[in-house]
Every structure is written in C-alpha cells, then in structure tokens.
Amino acid sequence: MITLHRIRIVACSRWLCTSHSKPLGLNISVSGETGHGSVSFRKLSTSANRRTIMPAWVIDKYGGNEVLRFTKNASFPIIHYPNEVIVKVHAAGLNPIDISMRGGYGAATLAMRRDPLNINQAGNEFPLILGRDVSGVIMECGLDVIYFKPGDEVWAAIPPWKRGSLAEFVVLSGNEVSHKPKSLSHSEAAAIPYVASTAWSVLVNTGGITKDNCARKRMLIIGASGGVGTFAIQMLKAWGAHVTVTCSQNAEGLVRGLGADHVIDYTTDDVPEQLKSLEKFDLILDNVGGATENWALDFLKPWAGAKYITLVTPFLLNTDRLGVADGMMQNGVTLGRKTLKYMCKGVHYRWGFFSPSGPSLDEISEMVDAGQVRPVVEGQFSFPQVPQAFQRLEEGHARGKTVVNVVAGDEGAE
C-alpha cells in the first residue's frame, strides 16, 4: 500500500525535478543514515537571487491611452495555489475588452471577483496589467500541476479579474492553460485564445452546438470581421454548418476566405431586407448589439429550438452603475423579460459571455494543427509599442487581432 507520506515525497520530488533550475531558490539536501537510523532534511531557504520585479505595461487609474505606463518594477507573479503555473510571456493579444477595462468598464464587478470579502481598499487593483491573450513558455509549476512542466509552450485566455499578459511573466491556473498548437508561432498563437474561448462558450456552452449536431445547420453571424466573428466562421464551417455573415464590403474577401457561404454588406443595403429572401436560421450570433436585436430574432426558425445569442449585454454596465447587488437584480429582470417575450414567439434569447477553459483550448489546438482554423492577425507591435497597439485597436473596424510581441523574434510569417 502506498502511504500518504510516500505520496508527498513523490509529489515533492516530481516538482523539484521538473521545475527549472532553482525556481524558488530552495536549498535541500538529504543526508544518509544518522546516528538514530533516520533520514534528515536541511531547512528550506529562500535565495536572495529570486526575482521580485519585472517589466510591464500598467495603468494607475482609468482613462484613455495616456494612462498607459511602462515600468521595470512591476511585482513578479507568485504561485499562491498548488494548481497554478508561471508563464513567461512571448506574445500577448489585445481585445476590445482591454480598451473597455482601461476606461474602467466592469470595475465594480471585477473588484468583487478579486476581493469578494471587500477586505482591501478601493483602487487596490492598481497598478493594473491589461492583456487577455497569452502565448509563452511555462517557467514554474505548482505542486498539483501534473499536465504541464517547465519548458512547455502554452497559450491561454486570461480572465478579466486576473493580471494580464502585457508583462514579462503571468501566473495562471493550470485549468486555464493549454499546450500551444505546434503549427503556430507565439505571435500567431496569441491571436486566438480569448476570441476562441468566447466563441466556444457562446456556441457550445450557450448555443448547444457541437461538431456532431452542427452539420447543415444555418448560422448567421452579425459583425463577422472581428476576432470572435472570424474564429466562429472557421469553427462552424469545420463542423459542417452553413454560415451567413454581415460585414462591410472591404471585409468581404476576408470572411469568404475563411469559409463564409453568404455575405451581406451592411453598409450598402438594409440588412433585414436582404435577409427576407433567405431561409431562416438555427442560431444567430450578434457581435454588434444595439438595435440589432429589434429585428434579428424575426429571422430564427420558430418553435425549432433556434437561439439568438448576443455578446453585447448590459451586464457589467448595470453593476457599474447600480452596484453589484442592484445591478445583478436589474440584469435578472432584463434578461428574464426578454427571454419570456421571445419564448412566446418560439425562439430563445440568450446573453453570451467569455469563459476561460484550458480543455476547450485543447480541442481548438487540435483544430488549428489540423488546418481547420487559422489565426487572423491584423497588426503586430513590439513591446515598446503597446500604446500604438491600443490606438490601432481603438480605431475600430478590426479585421482580425492586434498582437504585441513581448519577446522579440516571435513574429510569425505574415
């Protein structure tokens, strides 16, 4: 029988063997038989050489591009839980949520998630590091991490309540990390995790779409030329769906190249009028919001389980404006009212959200290496050019993702 004592020794041995050289500056030795016939251990000690700071882009208050600040003295990430890993960032991807978070969007809800007992003072999140996509190399693993080891190339989508990827290192849960596709450079890989995790959460978790039931279903993606839209097109086509999209005329070549079957130019003609001539849809993914939902649900197949899912919701706006408790109540009332309204018409109304998931990225990695999905990178910037990268993203009308190469030389072939 394997005793608990034995298990602990094996776990410690594995961690010490698989970590990079002196990860925690630990000094351990095992003596031979002592005068009492037992094994003795020297005390653990922390090396003075352990890093405590790193370079990063941070914000010290909410605002525009002017609040971005480069520092060489950002605090180094620490493993607090045994299932965490420290990743050396090679490339980081930017998303519209980074622009929103820079301006304070979702501050109340994210503060509650970071500090559920409200122990810390307001503003404790600063200096805040943005960046929700990461591709890099594992440098250190917690004791319970068995699926990864130091030196593994990984990618991940970072939850908004955690420190982001615009830094030299980041700490993540092992459940949020996945092995990077072998066919991609770090720069290319950093363009996928956040939008892929969002699309997966919306289509699979909320929409109930899988590779086994997707064939021949009719899908409509509204606002398809951005990060989530370009990934959703490829994912749905790989699973056999018929995909109709809306975008501007200058993005038509991009979305058709990704597999879109029918393209509607929202800048030239009235979208609802063009949709009237088409067969109705099994699912609509709305990346635009606003007045779109006033007409979009009319184009779903009634009483057939069809769903409308929007990524543009008032969820965080309500909690910012009303506080967490009242905001959540308002969200429940709004979503319940709309759900009942459209259920009476035979269709389903849903809100879609990002959800971090390493296992989902495992499946997406396989799709990438199989050639079913490819990254769509609109622009690449070096680490010193982070403000320019934010400015480019803020201009809007993106045709794919904006990537920051934290380590020079990780650029993929464009």
Side-chain angles (χ1 to χ4, degrees), residues 20-236:
H20 67 287
S21 179
K22 295 184 179 180
L24 289 175
L26 301 181
N27 185 13
I28 298 178
S29 68
V30 181
S31 71
E33 295 295 323
T34 67
H36 300 284
S38 63
V39 178
S40 65
F41 291 82
R42 290 173 59 185
K43 290 183 177 181
L44 305 181
S45 62
T46 302
S47 167
N49 294 325
R50 177 163 174 79
R51 294 187 58 174
T52 58
I53 58 174
M54 66 176 179
W57 282 91
V58 302
I59 63 172
D60 301 303
K61 62 180 180 179
Y62 297 119
N65 224 26
E66 71 282 353
V67 301
L68 291 166
R69 174 175 67 88
F70 177 75
T71 178
K72 294 183 179 180
N73 299 312
S75 59
F76 196 88
I78 298 172
I79 289 179
H80 290 284
Y81 301 98
N83 69 331
E84 291 182 332
V85 298
I86 293 179
V87 176
K88 178 176 175 57
V89 181
H90 282 239
L94 296 185
N95 297 274
I97 190 174
D98 292 303
I99 300 292
S100 300
M101 288 180 63
R102 188 196 62 190
Y105 174 72
T109 304
L110 297 178
M112 182 191 69
R113 181 61 179 80
R114 297 185 188 106
D115 183 23
L117 298 180
N118 197 28
I119 296 174
N120 299 314
Q121 295 181 347
N124 186 67
E125 69 269 26
F126 300 117
L128 182 65
I129 301 175
L130 302 173
R132 307 269 63 87
D133 289 297
V134 61
S135 181
V137 177
I138 289 184
M139 301 301 292
E140 190 173 311
C141 296
L143 290 172
D144 286 352
V145 177
I146 60 175
Y147 192 58
F148 303 99
K149 65 182 184 303
D152 283 354
E153 293 190 332
V154 296
W155 63 348
I158 305 174
W161 54 87
K162 291 190 175 182
R163 299 179 72 185
S165 56
L166 293 177
E168 189 177 13
F169 295 91
V170 65
V171 64
L172 293 165
S173 163
N175 296 324
E176 296 162 351
V177 176
S178 168
H179 288 102
K180 179 182 75 68
K182 294 180 175 61
S183 58
L184 299 184
S185 68
H186 286 294
S187 179
E188 294 166 330
I192 294 180
Y194 187 82
V195 296
S197 297
T198 302
W200 188 280
S201 174
V202 169
L203 296 173
V204 177
N205 300 341
T206 304
I209 300 298
T210 70
K211 60 184 176 182
D212 297 320
N213 67 13
C214 190
R216 293 181 296 278
K217 286 187 181 293
R218 291 182 54 80
M219 311 292 185
L220 171 63
I221 302 175
I222 301 173
S225 62
V228 174
T230 53
F231 181 85
I233 293 170
Q234 297 178 82
M235 178 175 160
L236 292 171

